[in-house]
Amino acid sequence: PRSSGPTRQASMAAAVMAVMNTQKKRTREREQQKEHDVWGYNPFKDIHLSGSGSPVNQLAAVGGAVAATAKDATGAAAAVGGAVAATAKDATDTVTSTATDATAQVADQAKKILFKYQASVANVYDSEVCQVAIAFIILANFMANAMDKQVNVYGEYQSQFHAMEITFTVVFAIELAVNMYCHWMTAFLNDKWNWFDFLIVVISLLSLATPNLPGISILRLLRAFRTFRY
């Protein structure tokens, strides 16, 4: 019959389409197999960009995830570094404060020990008996200097007068040290006679250490003015 011709053609077309679809399916499977062989197992297979699962897009997604992770890690490291720096600063401040307090305590303790007997020594030094004795020693020194110029003209008594010079210098140095200890520091520095005594003691020590120092003999005459203190 004539109607069998179109039916046969439709069947052939359907068969051809089926073969082509099968061929496309096999081709697609082979491409997927090659892609799997090239890239291997993809742990990020669920990450896609714009719904595309191509390797390039997957790599881009992985790169973004790695970048985000690195950024988070950098932020965490910066936070940890800031915390460590703050802790170190606090520790440094604590150590500095502790050292300062310890130094102040040691200084206060040393001051208490050093000036423990200051009031008692000051009472003795400022007493009338002690001041009269110091005045007598100053007068004796003045007389010894006068005798040195009048009696020891040719130096025949040089050793005796030199021994007296050493004795008076040591006594005056001790007296100055005691005075400084009793009235340290404001009361001592506010008294001009204490400055004068300090100058005299320094000159006396220089005269003993360097007797040939130019002008030292003239400066030694200043000790005579100590008699005007009393």
Side-chain angles (χ1 to χ4, degrees):
R2 296 188 177 185
S3 58
S4 62
T7 302
R8 186 180 298 114
Q9 291 179 356
S11 299
M12 293 179 63
V16 171
M17 290 297 295
V19 171
M20 292 178 64
N21 289 333
T22 302
Q23 188 65 28
K24 288 181 180 181
K25 183 177 180 181
R26 291 180 178 177
T27 301
R28 188 163 51 250
E29 290 177 353
R30 285 196 296 270
E31 290 179 354
Q32 292 178 354
Q33 183 63 35
K34 290 180 180 180
E35 181 179 320
H36 183 274
D37 293 340
V38 172
W39 299 103
Y41 174 70
N42 185 8
F44 304 97
K45 62 182 179 179
D46 294 330
I47 301 177
H48 303 289
L49 293 177
S50 301
S52 176
S54 64
V56 175
N57 291 333
Q58 290 182 5
L59 285 178
V62 171
V66 171
T69 304
K71 182 179 179 181
D72 294 340
T74 303
V80 172
V84 171
T87 303
K89 184 178 183 301
D90 293 341
T92 302
D93 293 341
T94 301
V95 171
T96 303
S97 177
T98 304
T100 303
D101 295 340
T103 303
Q105 291 178 0
V106 170
D108 292 339
Q109 190 67 23
K111 184 177 180 180
K112 291 179 180 179
I113 295 174
L114 181 62
F115 294 98
K116 181 178 180 180
Y117 303 101
Q118 184 182 29
S120 301
V121 176
N123 291 332
V124 175
Y125 178 81
D126 294 332
S127 64
E128 184 178 356
V129 175
C130 184
Q131 293 300 312
V132 170
I134 295 174
F136 178 77
I137 295 174
I138 293 175
L139 181 61
N141 180 48
F142 175 76
M143 294 177 62
N145 290 332
M147 291 175 61
D148 185 17
K149 300 301 180 184
Q150 297 296 326
V151 177
N152 192 31
V153 179
Y154 301 103
E156 59 270 24
Y157 303 105
Q158 185 63 31
S159 59
Q160 290 83 352
F161 281 103
H162 183 68
M164 287 191 293
E165 176 72 17
I166 295 176
T167 302
F168 283 120
T169 300
V170 172
V171 171
F172 289 145
I174 295 175
E175 185 266 335
L176 178 64
V178 173
N179 188 9
M180 293 176 66
Y181 176 77
C182 294
H183 304 100
W184 189 260
M185 141 182 16
T186 304
F188 178 84
L189 297 178
N190 288 337
D191 191 341
K192 295 181 180 179
W193 279 109
N194 291 334
W195 287 92
F196 183 74
D197 291 344
F198 181 81
L199 178 63
I200 294 302
V201 170
V202 171
I203 292 174
S204 299
L205 294 175
L206 286 176
S207 65
L208 292 178
T210 55
N212 297 325
L213 185 67
I216 196 66
S217 59
I218 298 176
L219 293 176
R220 287 172 57 187
L221 296 177
L222 293 175
R223 291 182 297 183
F225 291 97
R226 294 195 68 188
T227 56
F228 296 101
R229 178 175 181 176
Y230 295 92

